[in-house]
Amino acid sequence: MIRWAAPPRRPLRRQPATLVALAWLALVVTAALAAPALAPQGPLAADAARALLPPGRGAPLGTDFIGRDILARLVWGGRWTLQMSAVALALAVGLGLPVGLSAGSLGGRVETLLMRLVDALLAFPTLLLALTVVAVLGRGLGPVALAVGLASAPPYARVARSVTREVRRQPYILAARAVGASSWRIALRHILPNAAPTLIAFAATQFGWVLLNGAALNFLGLGAPLGAPEWGAMLAEGRGYLRDAPWASFFPGLVLTLTVLSANLVSDGLQEASGQQ
Amino acid sequence: MTVRYIGQRLLEVLLVLWLAATLAFGALQWAPGDPAQVLLAASGASPQEVAALRQRLGLDDPPLQQYLRYLLDLVRGDLGRSWLHGRPVGRMIAEQFPSTAALALAATSIGVLLGVSLGTLAAIRRTTWLDKAITALAVLGLSTPIYWSGLLAILLFSLTLRWLPATGEGTWRHLLLPALTLGITLSGAIARVVRVRVGEALSQPYVTAARARGLPPLWVLVVHVLRVALGPAVAVTALQFGFLLGGAVVTESVFARRGLGRLLLGAIVSRDMPVVRGVVLVGALSYVLVNLLGDAVQAWLDPRLRDRAP
């Protein structure tokens, strides 16, 4: 049977999946902040006698190839991974939003010029662009955050511009113009607030993306220094022991996936709550 | 599609490619380190030898001259020589291209087949458990890093069940795991767009009209709904080709496959900038061409787009 009618919209509090996702994100952030209290031994405490222990007593998620506790490393690693993603997201929004907003609200030559530049950057696939930036800046967690942030700015500018253009067509913008509001006032006081739901939802999606891409660069060995408990780097380290100690790569990947999934679910939930599909 | 529209699009593509090439040139100029020293570092060359090499590579010429020479070389299809191996970058890329192309093609086929069928299924059963299950699967596929799902696939199918080889290449058996890993992630993105677009199309007046004329539901779905809804799906597939290129870097690393991704990664680690630039430019070129093709297919699928030339 085919259902032809469109579904109704749902407020955030009536979306259990979104609430669970928010709770997981809160848990991950809290754990990262409380790392010194939760895992006082630190992420680097090694014990060769306890190498490659399976999950169980003493090590809830097992230990890695030099006997470091995986759970402790994941909790501490949240600091590395989340910080990297936060910097990258701030960069993507901080660069993309002003460009997209001014292109979309000012129009004309400014728009053509800005969007041509964005198009040229979009011609580079995100991860390839990030890899190029890392190639120029050299390896390290800072360059990776910078690279992923820069590479995510063009898509954000694109979306910001298209939402802005949509909002600009609304009658209340015409009304604001009619009473003599300046272009900047219209952009900041009228367009921005009304574009906010989409902009926030897309920022949530982007958070998932920068997390995924940042961890990918770390997985490829271009970011965090050797032995650092960054999630992607942990996954790469555990990969050598896939046969004997699958937990060493399974749990970092699981935490990463759940976090990205939560970001995507929150984004979907926000869109559904504001009536967009 | 008029000739004028095609000409306009081609001009746009050329402009974008020129900007991309310029950015790639700039990246190489800003990169710290003296290529001549990088090249001769291993052999412990004297300053005279470094200076001689700098001159031979044209590194002492004014930047504008270097830039024009670079553009001219690009137009002739010359991507320069590797700093590390001294071989033409174009040939190095040509050697690795088939392996990555096979992976991309297989992954795209899997992604489109799975994505379109699951997305349509979810849309026509909106708000039922089937829709919810498919939506959940799609977002899960989208959120799972390929460097994790790839390892899980190796663990399950190669190490535990011993059905398929984990690494290597040559036969379809070697291609299957990497292509599935990449294709399933791709299908998540496609299914989401197809679901929304088919969902929108289902309540459009022309669909209601077709149903009112008494056409069979399946006919309406395939001929009226899918034809229009597939346009955006094609656009998303073309856009996701960029994800595919990045994903190929990771996938090739996970499954130890040859290919452009491995070439790029090795070049980044050894700072072999001409190779980095060459691979990135070839990536950008194929991305732009695939998107151009996507636009053409979209216009063919949805006649309304043909009159709306930008």
Side-chain angles (χ1 to χ4, degrees):
Chain A
M1 198 196 81
I2 301 175
R3 295 190 166 207
W4 305 93
R9 64 194 240 191
R10 271 191 305 169
L12 219 50
R13 65 189 148 76
R14 300 244 336 260
Q15 301 177 22
T18 311
L19 296 178
V20 171
L22 277 171
W24 170 261
L25 289 179
L27 178 75
V28 169
V29 172
T30 316
L33 289 175
L38 290 172
Q41 77 273 35
L44 302 175
D47 180 359
R50 288 165 40 82
L52 298 179
L53 282 184
R57 284 168 59 86
L61 301 183
T63 60
D64 71 1
F65 67 108
I66 49 173
R68 293 175 299 197
D69 186 75
I70 304 245
L71 182 60
R73 284 175 71 68
L74 282 176
V75 167
W76 282 91
R79 297 187 153 203
W80 292 72
T81 306
L82 295 177
Q83 252 176 44
M84 169 191 75
S85 311
V87 168
L89 184 68
L91 208 61
V93 176
L95 289 174
L97 183 60
V99 170
L101 190 66
S102 35
S105 17
L106 300 178
R109 284 231 185 94
V110 180
E111 179 171 24
T112 315
L113 188 73
L114 287 176
M115 291 329 282
R116 277 289 170 276
L117 189 69
V118 169
D119 280 344
L121 287 170
L122 280 172
F124 292 99
T126 317
L127 198 58
L128 284 197
L129 189 55
L131 282 167
T132 313
V133 177
V134 172
V136 172
L137 296 177
R139 290 189 256 174
L141 205 64
V144 163
L146 199 66
V148 173
L150 283 177
S152 308
Y156 201 85
R158 234 309 140 69
V159 169
R161 174 215 178 214
S162 78
V163 194
T164 308
R165 279 170 62 113
E166 236 164 73
V167 174
R168 202 167 63 138
R169 281 203 298 266
Q170 300 297 322
Y172 54 78
I173 301 298
L174 191 64
R177 185 158 295 147
V179 297
S182 71
S183 311
W184 284 111
R185 191 183 162 81
I186 290 176
L188 294 177
R189 296 294 297 275
H190 299 268
I191 295 182
L192 192 59
N194 287 293
T198 311
L199 290 175
I200 294 171
F202 192 64
T205 312
Q206 285 274 65
F207 181 73
W209 272 111
V210 297
L211 199 71
L212 217 51
N213 282 334
L217 294 183
N218 279 303
F219 175 83
L220 293 172
L222 301 174
L226 206 66
E230 198 282 330
W231 295 343
M234 283 178 72
L235 196 48
E237 266 184 9
R239 163 190 181 185
Y241 305 88
L242 196 57
R243 192 189 297 267
D244 304 313
W247 53 87
S249 39
F250 179 78
F251 289 114
L254 184 67
V255 170
L256 198 55
T257 305
L258 288 177
T259 311
V260 176
L261 182 65
S262 300
N264 281 328
L265 286 176
V266 169
S267 172
D268 289 356
L270 288 172
Q271 281 175 28
E272 209 181 317
S274 65
Q276 295 149 321
Q277 278 189 311
Chain B
M1 257 195 304
T2 56
V3 175
R4 206 186 136 176
Y5 171 65
I6 295 174
Q8 215 170 24
R9 279 305 315 250
L10 279 178
L11 212 65
E12 264 178 47
V13 166
L14 279 179
L15 187 72
V16 164
L17 282 177
W18 169 68
L19 278 171
T22 305
L23 285 174
F25 177 79
L28 199 73
Q29 288 284 314
W30 293 325
D34 178 1
Q37 271 178 352
V38 173
L39 269 171
L40 296 175
S43 53
S46 66
Q48 287 81 9
E49 281 172 303
V50 173
L53 187 69
R54 280 189 65 85
Q55 192 165 26
R56 199 157 56 77
L57 292 174
L59 293 169
D60 292 328
D61 297 340
L64 186 67
Q65 198 180 333
Q66 289 189 45
Y67 173 65
L68 291 176
R69 192 171 49 220
Y70 156 77
L71 281 188
L72 210 66
D73 284 348
L74 269 190
V75 172
R76 287 193 311 229
D78 181 359
L79 290 168
R81 281 173 179 273
S82 156
W83 285 350
L84 203 64
H85 310 285
R87 300 181 54 214
V89 173
R91 193 170 306 157
M92 291 170 77
I93 289 176
E95 285 166 7
Q96 303 294 331
F97 190 77
S99 178
T100 303
L103 176 64
L105 205 65
T108 308
S109 315
I110 293 170
V112 169
L113 267 176
L114 264 178
V116 171
S117 36
L118 287 179
T120 308
L121 206 58
I124 62 173
R125 306 303 306 275
R126 259 181 305 186
T127 65
T128 64
W129 65 269
L130 189 66
D131 176 23
K132 283 178 185 139
I134 291 175
T135 310
L137 270 182
V139 70
L140 186 67
L142 203 68
S143 310
T144 310
I146 31 185
Y147 39 93
W148 189 51
S149 50
L151 288 182
L152 292 185
I154 291 179
L155 187 62
L156 180 64
F157 294 109
S158 303
L159 298 181
T160 311
L161 296 172
R162 294 177 185 282
W163 285 352
L164 291 165
T167 57
E169 55 217 292
T171 66
W172 65 269
R173 287 167 52 87
H174 292 97
L175 188 59
L176 200 56
L177 276 189
L180 271 175
T181 306
L182 204 49
I184 286 176
T185 309
L186 195 63
S187 73
I190 296 176
R192 277 160 66 99
V193 171
V194 168
R195 173 178 171 271
V196 171
R197 294 302 166 155
V198 169
E200 278 170 5
L202 285 176
S203 44
Q204 291 294 310
Y206 67 87
V207 174
T208 313
R211 288 171 62 213
R213 276 184 282 147
L215 295 171
L218 205 62
W219 175 271
V220 176
L221 183 67
V222 174
V223 175
H224 296 256
V225 174
L226 271 188
R227 175 161 183 163
V228 169
L230 279 187
V234 170
V236 156
T237 309
L239 283 176
Q240 286 293 323
F241 186 74
F243 156 79
L244 205 65
L245 289 176
V249 180
V250 177
T251 312
E252 283 168 9
S253 162
V254 169
F255 292 95
R257 283 175 63 83
R258 279 159 54 92
L260 291 178
R262 290 258 293 211
L263 184 65
L264 178 62
L265 199 60
I268 289 175
V269 171
S270 58
R271 300 189 74 89
D272 193 347
M273 292 308 282
V275 177
V276 173
R277 182 166 72 184
V279 176
V280 170
L281 277 180
V282 167
L285 176 67
S286 25
Y287 187 44
V288 169
L289 288 182
V290 163
N291 275 293
L292 197 63
L293 190 72
D295 285 352
V297 174
Q298 230 182 320
W300 173 67
L301 280 170
D302 188 344
R304 291 175 302 180
L305 291 177
R306 284 172 221 169
D307 315 325
R308 226 193 286 157

